[in-house]
Each structure stands twice: as C-alpha cells, then as structure tokens.
Amino acid sequence: MADFSGSKGSSSRQRDGDNNSRKKKKKRKRDGDRHFARKKKRIIPYCIENFKEKRIVLVVGDGDFSFSHALMKNCSASKDTRRIRIMATSYDSLREVGKKYADNCLEKLKSNYGKNVRVLHSVNATSLSQTLPEDLKKIYFDAVVFHYPHTGQQRTHLNRNLVRDFLSSAGPYIKPNTGEIHITLKQEAPYKFWNVKEFAEQAGLELRESLPFQEKKWP
C-alpha cells in the first residue's frame, strides 16, 4: 500500500514535473516572443522630429512653397525647433511661381515667420554654387531638403541626372559629419531605378536612414 501509494505518488510528482516543465518552456517561448516584439525597431515616419536639432535648413525645388510652410508651421509648434531658420527656394522665378501656383504659400511664409524664413527664387538645385546668393555660399546647412525631384519628363535618364547632380551640388553645403541631405522619392517604378544610393555614394555621402513620408504628418 505504502509502496503502491509511494509509487503512485512518485508517478504523480513525475507527471506534475513534466507538466510544469512544459508550462515553463511555453512561458519562456511566450516571453521570448514578447521580448522580440519589444526589440523590433519601430519605424517612425518622416516628421518634425527629423528637424529637432536642425537650426538652418535649405529647402530646394519647393514649387508652391507648401513644404517650407508646413515645416515652419510644425516647427513653430515645437519648443525644441522654434529657433530653426529656413532658406525656402524655388527653381521658378517669382513670376512663374505666381502663374503655376495661384494658391501658393508665399504670403503665409512672409507674414507669419518674419526673419526665420528667407524666400529665394531661380535657385537651381543642381548648381547651388552658381545660383545661391553669395552670403549663403559661405554657410553650412544642417539639412538640404529636396522632395520629389522631377524634371517634368517621364524619362528615367534625365531624372537620374537630376538626382545625381543635386546630390553632388548639395554635398559641399552640409555641415561636416552632422549635416544631412533629405530626398524623397516614391518606392516604385520608375523612381526606384533612379539609383539614389549609388549617386549619393559617388558624392561622398552615405545612407543614414530611410523613412516613409506621410502627408498627414505635415499639416
């Protein structure tokens, strides 16, 4: 009886031990999965946080100046970026901007942000050394920004040349070690064949990060 009980008791403890072992393994697996989930890098869309430490920014090719306005609007709402200064430029002349973009943001920029924004026209992103004013040629920028560069023609080689020449032109104007060039392109054909990373490396630059662009982040 005792042995039987002992045997039965021993067998019961063995089964309990197996069950506990399986439960612990499952728990460790669940904990491991949760731990892995916590460790996965959360991709934050391109937003005002990317300008948190920026103090002087050059925006090129801003057709209707809507991005420059969105940048200043978001910066003004952030204590960390309120000291930012933006050089907002267009490839078009002032007259051409008025013709192409009746609903442009020029007046909003000039009236709302004063000396923190400088608006310039007829600035060619591919030849900054020739088209920037002389005083700006002496400045190193925290960031040079060109969103959705395009020649206006659906010809891949022309748009590749635009991207290549822009990166080469902008490289000397960013602060050594800390300066950045922000360029935005769709990740689909034909844009993904424009060899941005390759041209950047040729210009002595390296890819720091790639982030999704979401318009809702720029009201």
Side-chain angles (χ1 to χ4, degrees):
M1 178 76 160
D3 288 343
F4 181 79
S5 294
S7 176
K8 184 177 180 180
S10 175
S11 178
S12 175
R13 285 195 299 272
Q14 182 64 45
R15 287 197 302 272
D16 290 343
D18 291 341
N19 289 337
N20 289 336
S21 178
R22 284 194 292 270
K23 288 179 181 178
K24 287 179 180 179
K25 287 180 180 178
K26 288 181 179 179
K27 183 178 184 302
R28 282 198 298 270
K29 186 178 187 305
R30 289 197 303 271
D31 290 345
D33 290 343
R34 286 199 297 270
H35 182 68
F36 177 75
R38 287 196 298 269
K39 281 290 186 179
K40 281 183 69 175
K41 184 178 180 181
R42 185 167 66 95
I43 298 177
I44 301 174
Y46 183 74
C47 62
I48 194 61
E49 289 298 311
N50 295 95
F51 292 88
K52 190 173 182 180
E53 303 299 329
K54 307 294 186 290
R55 292 295 172 259
I56 183 164
V57 174
L58 173 63
V59 180
V60 300
D62 195 359
D64 61 358
F65 291 87
S66 57
F67 178 75
S68 296
H69 178 243
L71 181 55
M72 284 307 303
K73 183 177 181 179
N74 282 274
C75 285
S76 297
S78 170
K79 294 181 180 179
D80 295 322
T81 52
R82 58 187 171 184
R83 291 180 292 164
I84 196 170
R85 290 176 57 213
I86 295 178
M87 308 297 144
T89 75
S90 67
Y91 176 71
D92 296 319
S93 66
L94 173 59
R95 185 177 180 181
E96 289 171 328
V97 170
K99 282 185 175 181
K100 289 183 179 180
Y101 312 103
D103 189 25
N104 63 67
C105 297
L106 286 175
E107 288 304 316
K108 293 177 182 178
L109 280 174
K110 294 175 180 177
S111 61
N112 293 339
Y113 306 108
K115 294 181 179 180
N116 287 332
V117 175
R118 181 174 174 182
V119 176
L120 299 164
H121 302 283
S122 301
V123 173
N124 190 333
T126 66
S127 56
L128 294 176
S129 63
Q130 296 177 352
T131 56
L132 279 178
E134 288 300 321
D135 60 320
L136 293 187
K137 294 178 184 179
K138 303 173 184 178
I139 293 177
Y140 286 118
F141 296 95
D142 292 302
V144 177
V145 182
F146 196 175
H147 290 309
Y148 300 103
H150 204 283
T151 62
Q153 300 182 59
Q154 293 295 351
R155 302 185 67 179
T156 298
H157 75 283
L158 293 179
N159 289 300
R160 278 180 181 167
N161 292 345
L162 172 64
V163 170
R164 179 198 63 202
D165 294 344
F166 161 64
L167 291 167
S168 178
S169 173
Y173 289 97
I174 60 174
K175 288 184 178 179
N177 302 319
T178 61
E180 300 172 349
I181 294 176
H182 299 182
I183 185 168
T184 305
L185 285 177
K186 294 181 179 180
Q187 295 302 299
E188 59 188 47
Y191 312 98
K192 65 181 181 180
F193 302 124
W194 288 7
N195 303 342
V196 177
K197 186 177 179 181
E198 177 184 333
F199 290 143
E201 291 173 349
Q202 290 176 8
L205 305 164
E206 62 179 11
L207 180 64
R208 181 167 293 176
E209 61 183 347
S210 181
L211 304 171
F213 187 100
Q214 296 179 1
E215 285 190 22
K216 65 181 180 181
K217 293 293 182 180
W218 299 96

